Amino acid sequence: MQSLAMKWSRGEISSFDYLMALNRRAGRQIGDGSFHPVLPWVIDFTDPEGGWRDLSKTKFRLCKGDEQLDITYDGPNPHHITESLSEVTYYIYMARRTPIEILRRFVRANYEP
């Protein structure tokens, strides 16, 4: 682990490769709906210069704002929207990315969008 961190800190491997290595060591892998790799969202897409997002706030707080977050927690049924995808969300996403021919073959032959 120390060697991996040192390679990353010296710029010998990219941030993506470093994070994917950490995910692999945690048992996460591409294609596993219940334990897929987790990568942080660090780019501020609202910044025309492509800067970094404010990491002191959650993605939900940045996207929805403080008021919406307060409503979420202070409403009649307080709840939290998780940062990572649920297993169902993962498989719905993968189904949308799967070619229709494969869906027709393995899921439903008479597929109509």
Side-chain angles (χ1 to χ4, degrees):
M1 181 69 137
Q2 189 176 22
S3 174
L4 180 67
M6 290 303 294
K7 285 181 180 180
W8 176 71
S9 67
R10 290 191 298 256
E12 295 172 12
I13 62 173
S14 70
S15 293
F16 176 79
D17 290 334
Y18 176 69
L19 291 170
M20 290 304 290
L22 293 177
N23 276 287
R24 279 191 300 278
R25 289 182 181 191
R28 296 179 174 277
Q29 59 186 346
I30 293 173
D32 184 342
S34 58
F35 215 53
H36 54 84
V38 176
L39 299 170
W41 167 40
V42 295
I43 297 173
D44 181 1
F45 294 107
T46 63
D47 183 357
E49 303 294 318
W52 304 108
R53 80 170 182 91
D54 180 359
L55 295 174
S56 69
K57 296 181 178 181
T58 64
K59 292 188 304 183
F60 185 86
R61 188 174 295 275
L62 287 172
C63 292
K64 303 292 183 178
D66 292 335
E67 183 179 344
Q68 182 64 42
L69 189 62
D70 291 342
I71 290 170
T72 300
Y73 283 112
D74 296 336
N77 299 311
H79 64 281
H80 175 67
I81 298 171
T82 61
E83 291 288 317
S84 59
L85 297 174
S86 69
E87 191 172 352
V88 171
T89 305
Y90 172 83
Y91 285 112
I92 290 170
Y93 169 77
M94 291 306 293
R96 290 181 177 175
R97 297 200 31 101
T98 302
I100 292 175
E101 297 77 32
I102 292 175
L103 291 175
R104 284 185 177 142
R105 183 174 172 196
F106 293 103
V107 179
R108 182 175 47 200
N110 186 14
Y111 174 80
E112 294 183 26

